[in-house]
Amino acid sequence: MTVKPCENPVPKALKFKQQCLDVAFSPRDNLVATSLITGHVFLHRYSADCTERVFRSHPHNKSCRSVAFGLDGSDLYTASKDKSWQVMDLNKGETKYRQADAHDKAINRLLPVNEQIVATGDDSGCIKLWDVRQKKIAFEFKEHVDFISDMTFNEAKRHLIATSGDGCLSVYDVRKSKPVDVSDNQDDELLSVAVMMDGKKVITGTQDGVIGIFSYGMFGDVTDRFPGHPQSIDTICKLTEDTVVTGSSDGLLRIIGLFPNKLLGVAGEHGEFPIEKIVLSWDQSLLASCSHDQSVRFWDIAYMFNGDDSVEDDGGGNGTGRGSESSHDYKDFDKIIAEFKVQNAVTQGSNKDDGDGDAMNSDSMDSDGGGGSDGKDDEDVGEESEEKRQRKKKRKSQLQRNKVKQAKKTTNANFFADL
């Protein structure tokens, strides 16, 4: 499958003066929220004709790493490096609740589980479940030893599933104080997660560009692996029960089919800039992606849901069995990506800024918002970049130590075997 030229007009890209860290669609309206490394949060109303800013807020002193709408779309949640999280009432335009010093370390991820529970995860691996109504901690978990990279919720099981930079996946029943399960170390950073195949599978994106596939209830280790991404899989957006879009450090949004595991096409790109987040709109017509290129871009994805045979299963699996290496079809990655780049060169005008200050591009960071005028924003940008470099360096060192330990074990085993 190759990506079709965009038949439906899409909103123009939102341009910012600083890096975007997260983006979220409203579950019930044409609203999109964006959080920035400066601590600012923007809300825009989008359409094919125009995109207008609804408001700009500065709820956090340091980078706003996570933004999410409540389940009914009336609340907007944010979490920050300053260790706080808050919820804003969008109907009233005011802060509904703020929890300062919510964690001992910087908060990296936030996920509204339901109307009552909000989950937060920090840089030290701590996960907290908050009772919004009673405004207190419901449960606290410390199964991880490195940053919480992503979280998702399996509503059918009432399970919160988290991934971490320590290479482990953890599962929690939000009604209980103890974890359901914690996986073995996967010898690689787990960066993203999604529940697939009607709850039968959980997939994770890794630093090495491999999709790890867990069978639900068997979280000790993966039952399948799908290699092929040349760089890290930083974000996963679920489209259907057997189709996802992945965001990679190479700037491409790849459409991936599962069972059989194969690359179906490319939905968009941010040049060579790493992608932080990909989300699907409430009406399943658009994808939004934010990247280090300081933009949020929109991509037509409606063709994936309109009954085309482009996403039909070719009989390679029904989601109940385990995949195999033989089902992996990634030999044509380069060909599919090359075809996309040729098409995108023709159609990219609909997704690029025309230089007229579109939407809020020219005023996304007004003088009262900073934009580096006092040096604090630039300092925060540097700190975030340095943190990511240190994480990668730390992980590489750990992997090297693991390899040395494994080599010693193998050598000793062979030695004693000979005796």
Side-chain angles (χ1 to χ4, degrees):
M1 178 190 117
T2 57
V3 169
K4 305 173 182 180
C6 183
E7 299 175 357
N8 301 317
V10 297
K12 291 183 179 179
L14 302 177
K15 297 286 187 176
F16 298 89
K17 293 184 179 179
Q18 296 290 357
Q19 184 178 324
C20 312
L21 296 184
D22 202 5
V23 61
F25 276 119
S26 167
R28 301 187 185 280
D29 201 358
N30 285 10
L31 294 172
V32 60
T34 310
S35 66
L36 269 60
I37 200 168
T38 56
H40 288 81
V41 175
F42 291 87
L43 184 68
H44 289 84
R45 185 174 297 279
Y46 62 88
S47 68
D49 300 325
C50 66
T51 304
E52 59 180 357
R53 190 173 77 189
V54 178
F55 73 75
R56 184 193 69 176
S57 176
H58 195 187
H60 301 287
N61 296 325
K62 293 189 176 181
S63 57
C64 185
R65 295 176 171 180
S66 190
V67 61
F69 284 89
L71 272 63
D72 64 358
S74 63
D75 293 330
L76 186 67
Y77 294 82
T78 60
S80 171
K81 182 181 177 181
D82 65 13
K83 306 175 186 178
S84 73
W85 68 270
Q86 75 165 40
V87 54
M88 175 181 290
D89 187 327
L90 295 180
N91 295 325
K92 297 180 179 180
E94 61 186 31
T95 300
K96 190 174 181 178
Y97 174 70
R98 179 179 177 83
Q99 180 66 55
D101 297 321
H103 284 251
D104 294 332
K105 299 294 183 179
I107 301 176
N108 199 47
R109 283 292 175 264
L110 176 147
L111 177 69
V113 172
N114 53 39
E115 293 81 1
Q116 185 174 355
I117 299 296
V118 173
T120 55
D122 68 23
D123 279 355
S124 67
C126 176
I127 294 174
K128 294 184 180 183
L129 299 182
W130 300 85
D131 189 320
V132 178
R133 295 173 183 172
Q134 298 186 25
K135 300 180 179 179
K136 66 177 184 180
I137 298 175
F139 300 115
E140 181 175 354
F141 307 100
K142 295 185 177 180
E143 272 59 49
H144 295 286
V145 296
D146 209 339
F147 68 99
I148 301 300
S149 56
D150 198 11
M151 296 187 291
T152 189
F153 185 60
N154 183 348
E155 187 173 359
K157 298 280 189 179
R158 306 277 290 177
H159 284 174
L160 175 72
I161 304 172
T163 52
S164 171
D166 64 9
C168 296
L169 175 142
S170 56
V171 184
Y172 310 89
D173 188 320
V174 297
R175 300 162 294 184
K176 300 179 181 179
S177 60
K178 294 183 179 181
V180 174
D181 207 348
V182 179
S183 76
D184 296 336
N185 193 298
Q186 301 301 301
D187 293 327
D188 194 8
E189 288 185 2
L190 303 186
L191 303 178
S192 47
V193 63
V195 179
M196 305 297 296
M197 312 303 290
D198 295 313
K200 297 181 179 70
K201 302 290 180 179
V202 174
I203 65 171
T204 58
T206 68
Q207 181 69 39
D208 285 345
V210 176
I211 295 177
I213 304 175
F214 292 84
S215 293
Y216 212 95
M218 302 170 60
F219 295 111
D221 201 358
V222 294
T223 53
D224 199 4
R225 301 170 76 252
F226 179 29
H229 289 71
Q231 297 183 37
S232 62
I233 304 172
D234 300 318
T235 179
I236 293 175
C237 176
K238 178 179 178 179
L239 295 182
T240 66
E241 293 301 327
D242 59 1
T243 312
V244 297
V245 177
T246 61
S248 179
S249 292
D250 65 359
L252 289 176
L253 287 73
R254 293 172 172 83
I255 305 173
I256 302 293
L258 301 173
F259 302 104
N261 304 329
K262 60 169 55 178
L263 173 66
L264 300 178
V266 181
E269 68 169 335
H270 284 260
E272 297 180 353
F273 293 94
I275 296 171
E276 288 281 354
K277 190 67 172 289
I278 305 172
V279 289
L280 179 66
S281 65
W282 65 278
D283 60 357
Q284 300 182 325
S285 65
L286 294 173
L287 289 175
S289 57
C290 65
S291 169
H292 291 192
D293 63 2
Q294 302 176 7
S295 74
V296 171
R297 297 185 182 275
F298 300 93
W299 314 95
D300 174 32
I301 200 68
Y303 59 87
M304 295 293 292
F305 302 92
N306 64 7
D308 277 2
D309 58 5
S310 57
V311 293
E312 290 292 324
D313 188 2
D314 58 9
N318 57 10
T320 59
R322 179 189 169 201
S324 65
E325 291 294 334
S326 61
S327 69
H328 296 158
D329 181 11
Y330 53 91
K331 60 182 179 296
D332 293 328
F333 268 33
D334 292 340
K335 178 181 177 182
I336 293 176
I337 291 169
E339 290 177 354
F340 164 78
K341 287 182 178 294
V342 171
Q343 288 185 1
N344 195 46
V346 178
T347 62
Q348 64 182 344
S350 62
N351 241 347
K352 287 195 172 181
D353 181 23
D354 55 12
D356 61 356
D358 145 64
M360 39 62 71
N361 296 345
S362 61
D363 66 345
S364 60
M365 297 291 290
D366 295 338
S367 59
D368 62 333
S373 59
D374 58 3
K376 292 183 180 179
D377 295 336
D378 293 333
E379 178 183 352
D380 208 23
V381 172
E383 288 179 2
E384 289 286 319
S385 300
E386 180 61 26
E387 280 183 12
K388 290 188 176 182
R389 285 195 293 269
Q390 290 300 325
R391 285 175 180 172
K392 289 185 178 181
K393 183 178 179 181
K394 175 183 175 182
R395 189 60 193 157
K396 286 181 179 179
S397 298
Q398 183 61 46
L399 290 174
Q400 187 61 38
R401 289 195 293 271
N402 290 343
K403 290 178 180 179
V404 172
K405 289 180 181 178
Q406 186 61 39
K408 288 181 178 179
K409 288 181 180 179
T410 302
T411 301
N412 291 337
N414 292 338
F415 174 75
F416 287 108
D418 292 337
L419 291 180

